[in-house]
Amino acid sequence: MVIIVLTDYERLTAMNKQYLWHPFTQMKDYNNSDPLIIERGEGIMLYDVQGRAYYDGFSSVWLNVHGHNVPELNQAITEQLGRVAHSTLLGMANIPAIELAEKLAKITPEGLNKVFYSDSGATGVEIAIKMAFQYWHNKGIRGKTKFITMNQAYHGDTIGAVSVGAIPLYHDVYRPMLFPSYVIPYPYAYRHEGGEAEALKSTLSALRNLLETQADEIAALIVEPIVQGASGIIVMPPGCLRQMAALCRQYGVLLIADEVATGFGRTGAMFACDHEDVSPDLMVIGKGLTGGYLPVAATLATDEVYDAFYADYEQQKTFFHGHSYTGNPLGCAVALASLKLFEERKLVEGVSAKAALVEHKLAQLKDRPHVGEIRQKGLMVGIELVRDKESREPYDWEDRIGVLASLRARELGMLTRPLGNVIVFIPPLASNIAELDAMTDILVESIRHVTEGGGAK
Ligand SMILES: *Cc1c(COP(=O)(O)O)cnc(C)c1O
């Protein structure tokens, strides 16, 4: 038995290294590593082909909600599969796509009444950008063609999404083929000399100044509401999003909320915009939409935006955009089943107690010599490690401190993936108290082990 399993691992590893090219992965490192090959999942655990169990401490890159292999979700897919796996949304409809659209319009911030499907966060962002651009065109207002984004923003990896991205490591190489966007500072309080209040002020005054002079050439502002994810789980100061939204409204610029990471309860509200009662003009959702099961994303628009496209065909105001698998019935069916579980299990309501436990457990890291800042909103956590706590001097990227901490966590039975020097903890919403307790123990132990050597206790 043991020999067969090992052989299987060796066979798969060899094939993996020969044929598979992984996203966001230096393959030279990967091929020199001991790759993790997942065979199955159950609850919030993932099991590899060698039979080892791991907590899914990052929700399989921020997607998973109810855990893996969930009977209710499996059943929703099987039932839909017995009817039809896919039919197009180009000029016709299917049942789950309609029912999910109604549901999404009801649970998203007020005013977002129209749902346009796609298949990933990045395509959802492309759609929002093109809709905002064409909205002004269709209204006969010329020149509003540019976008504002925030420093260190991440909106996905397609060219349009990268054009409104601002993470130099990921984006700079492509700069020559991107359209230029305005970039305002993100309020990163920990690394702002003036702290939170000044960081907030810089952001708002940069936005106000830009809008005062350039609003007539700006189509929209795109923002990751409340929590900027890929830059290192950076939480906005309270009031920031609301005030940014007000400035957009005042100067006639659309607001695009990219809720791909923050949506579906992650921050303790169904959507991050809900924390500050913000109703954007366009909103992008993905990741947790299907509970982490299938690739469905959506861009929601207000009636005001939709109506600018609603005209006689000859006027050429149609939104000429779509993807082969737009509105996929299997994906929409599982998204509906996921939302039903959200309600039945009161998952969003449950976040605050779970988040409180996590906060309490992680407080023991506060005084550790290499823990710079612990950032948390709901069940989105980022722990920034620093070489020097006093001066906040960062670790060099060559130190790979985040990678080392994640490797240690894996040895201890939990999966996560760092963002530079920031350790990420984004457990599935369905994680129970005992599981969160065990996962935070691993997190603490991994961080102490790699920053202080020898580990905790
Ligand atoms: C992950 C992410 C995206 C991209 O989604 P994909 O499904 O990976 O294309 C876009 N925006 C934000 C804020 C994200 O976190």
Side-chain angles (χ1 to χ4, degrees):
M1 180 63 185
V2 170
I3 290 164
I4 292 164
V5 171
L6 283 177
T7 308
D8 209 27
Y9 178 69
E10 281 164 6
R11 182 181 63 86
L12 287 165
T13 303
M15 275 162 54
N16 179 352
K17 291 179 178 179
Q18 191 172 354
Y19 295 111
L20 206 50
W21 190 348
H22 294 257
F24 277 97
T25 304
Q26 173 46 259
M27 292 308 294
K28 187 172 176 183
D29 288 343
Y30 187 83
N31 286 349
N32 289 323
S33 75
D34 165 32
L36 181 62
I37 303 172
I38 297 298
E39 188 182 50
R40 65 193 177 86
E42 191 70 52
I44 69 158
M45 305 303 289
L46 288 168
Y47 297 86
D48 72 9
V49 294
Q50 292 164 294
R52 286 178 298 207
Y54 307 90
Y55 289 103
D56 189 351
F58 67 152
S59 299
S60 296
V61 193
W62 321 359
L63 311 174
N64 191 276
V65 176
H66 310 285
H68 301 278
N69 203 3
V70 181
E72 292 87 345
L73 300 186
N74 294 0
Q75 193 191 339
I77 295 175
T78 325
E79 279 175 10
Q80 181 57 40
L81 198 53
R83 298 190 191 102
V84 62
H86 186 72
S87 64
T88 186
L89 225 58
L90 272 64
M92 53 198 256
N94 67 65
I95 298 165
I98 295 171
E99 290 178 350
L100 180 61
E102 185 218 23
K103 190 91 198 149
L104 291 174
K106 286 194 168 141
I107 63 169
T108 49
E110 211 178 316
L112 295 166
N113 294 329
K114 304 292 180 192
V115 178
F116 195 103
Y117 290 112
S118 61
D119 42 38
S120 72
T123 55
V125 166
E126 296 287 333
I127 289 161
I129 290 170
K130 287 175 73 178
M131 277 181 179
F133 183 97
Q134 195 177 341
Y135 166 79
W136 296 110
H137 177 92
N138 283 0
K139 284 180 69 102
I141 296 166
R142 294 292 177 261
K144 281 173 84 71
T145 57
K146 298 212 163 74
F147 293 84
I148 308 176
T149 184
M150 303 194 78
N151 191 31
Q152 298 286 326
Y154 177 80
H155 297 291
D157 295 321
T158 53
I159 294 304
V162 169
S163 295
V164 292
I167 298 185
L169 176 65
Y170 304 163
H171 301 148
D172 273 3
V173 61
Y174 305 109
R175 214 44 80 188
M177 67 166 166
L178 306 179
F179 61 78
S181 297
Y182 290 105
V183 182
I184 58 168
Y186 185 88
Y188 186 2
Y190 179 66
R191 298 227 170 262
H192 196 287
E193 315 81 70
E196 186 173 271
E198 289 302 315
L200 173 61
K201 250 196 233 164
S202 321
T203 295
L204 294 175
S205 67
L207 180 58
R208 188 180 294 106
N209 291 341
L210 184 58
L211 291 173
E212 257 169 22
T213 56
Q214 314 298 132
D216 59 356
E217 58 171 73
I218 292 166
L221 163 73
I222 182 163
V223 58
E224 294 164 77
I226 308 289
V227 183
Q228 200 179 47
S231 61
I233 318 293
I234 307 175
V235 184
M236 281 181 172
C240 184
L241 182 67
R242 189 170 29 78
Q243 291 180 77
M244 289 174 67
L247 284 168
C248 286
R249 201 119 307 180
Q250 184 186 337
Y251 287 94
V253 159
L254 298 180
L255 176 65
I256 304 171
D258 177 353
E259 291 253 14
V260 173
T262 50
F264 300 96
R266 224 38 95 168
T267 67
M270 195 55 165
F271 297 99
C273 284
D274 298 338
H275 288 293
E276 301 202 345
D277 284 324
V278 165
S279 294
D281 302 285
L282 291 155
M283 187 168 113
V284 187
I285 53 179
K287 290 198 168 110
L289 168 56
T290 60
Y293 257 57
L294 286 169
V296 176
T299 307
L300 284 98
T302 58
D303 291 326
E304 166 67 23
V305 169
Y306 175 84
D307 288 345
F309 293 75
Y310 198 84
D312 293 330
Y313 187 77
E314 300 74 48
Q315 292 190 289
Q316 300 192 347
K317 290 184 172 181
T318 307
F319 188 53
F320 287 109
H321 185 113
H323 302 282
S324 304
Y325 286 96
T326 291
N328 174 257
L330 295 176
C332 292
V334 75
L336 278 164
S338 167
L339 289 172
K340 196 159 162 248
L341 290 185
F342 262 99
E343 280 168 26
E344 286 171 7
R345 299 178 180 176
K346 300 204 181 326
L347 274 186
V348 180
E349 295 84 338
V351 170
S352 70
K354 294 175 184 181
L357 171 92
V358 170
E359 189 182 348
H360 173 73
K361 286 290 300 282
L362 295 182
Q364 60 185 298
L365 282 172
K366 264 198 183 119
D367 297 325
R368 305 317 309 171
H370 299 284
V371 173
E373 189 181 38
I374 304 169
R375 296 186 284 266
Q376 181 181 357
K377 188 76 185 173
L379 286 175
M380 283 186 95
V381 178
I383 301 168
E384 182 164 342
L385 304 180
V386 288
R387 183 189 298 283
D388 188 292
K389 200 180 180 85
E390 270 319 294
S391 68
R392 304 190 174 181
E393 180 198 347
Y395 280 101
D396 292 329
W397 64 269
E398 292 96 330
D399 294 333
R400 297 188 186 211
I401 196 74
V403 174
L404 294 176
S406 299
L407 280 173
R408 181 65 187 162
R410 175 175 151 189
E411 282 168 12
L412 297 172
M414 183 178 81
L415 303 179
T416 183
R417 190 180 159 84
L419 296 160
N421 297 334
V422 177
I423 312 305
V424 172
F425 181 54
I426 302 184
L429 250 49
S431 310
N432 63 35
I433 293 291
E435 290 164 335
L436 290 167
D437 197 54
M439 285 188 281
T440 44
D441 279 344
I442 294 176
L443 202 58
V444 168
E445 163 69 23
S446 317
I447 288 169
R448 293 195 58 174
H449 181 83
V450 298
T451 57
E452 296 174 42
K457 289 164 201 144

